[in-house]
Amino acid sequence: MSSTISEPDTIWSETRDRDSIGGRIRRAREAVGLSGAQLARRLGVKTVTVNAWETGRSEPRANRLTMLAGFLAVSPTWLLYGLGDKPADETLTSELSLIAASLKALRETHDRTGETIDRLEAQIARLADQARERPEDDAA
């Protein structure tokens, strides 16, 4: 009877994302639909700082990394090592954004149509009131 000893599962045995930390930051930022400037404002850093992280010229400190992971909806472990859940599929995210924008435009059109209907009903009521108030001899 042969038995094999297997290595215990660790986070290192998981398939990792081979992109750089900067590439993972950029992908996660794009997946949540933020520009570099928007992310920088939320983190309280300059846009050039976010650009430096994304291009690999520097890396975020631990306190910024935790905030960054929170804003980007990924784990700090994924940002640092490429292990764990990656951001939502960018294609799906962008498609959902397009659908949401179309729905918003349709809702705005619907609201404007409702306002136009209300205005027309008010004009009809005003004209009907004026017609009822007219003396009958003016009608002849």
Side-chain angles (χ1 to χ4, degrees):
M1 179 177 220
S2 74
S3 66
T4 47
I5 300 174
S6 63
E7 282 189 40
D9 284 339
T10 67
I11 63 167
W12 304 113
S13 61
E14 183 180 339
T15 304
R16 64 182 283 217
D17 183 317
R18 295 282 179 198
D19 203 352
S20 66
I21 183 174
R24 287 189 293 272
I25 291 170
R26 180 190 47 76
R27 286 179 24 227
R29 175 183 56 75
E30 290 173 351
V32 295
L34 291 175
S35 70
Q38 290 170 321
L39 180 60
R41 272 193 302 277
R42 290 185 181 191
L43 291 168
V45 299
K46 294 181 180 182
T47 304
V48 294
T49 302
V50 171
N51 290 339
W53 295 341
E54 291 184 355
T55 57
R57 290 189 315 266
S58 69
E59 291 185 2
R61 293 182 185 161
N63 62 333
R64 294 284 186 224
L65 183 76
T66 303
M67 289 173 57
L68 188 59
F71 284 126
L72 300 178
V74 294
S75 72
T77 305
W78 184 80
L79 285 176
L80 283 171
Y81 308 110
L83 296 168
D85 293 335
K86 62 182 178 180
D89 181 4
E90 289 98 355
T91 305
L92 180 60
T93 301
S94 63
E95 202 170 321
L96 286 171
S97 295
L98 288 173
I99 292 169
S102 295
L103 181 60
K104 181 181 179 190
L106 181 60
R107 191 175 301 280
E108 289 169 356
T109 301
H110 174 72
D111 291 344
R112 284 192 308 274
T113 303
E115 292 166 1
T116 302
I117 290 170
D118 291 344
R119 258 193 323 276
L120 289 172
E121 286 176 337
Q123 287 175 341
I124 290 170
R126 185 175 41 80
L127 290 172
D129 287 344
Q130 287 176 356
R132 280 193 294 274
E133 293 172 1
R134 244 181 169 184
E136 292 198 21
D137 51 321
D138 283 348

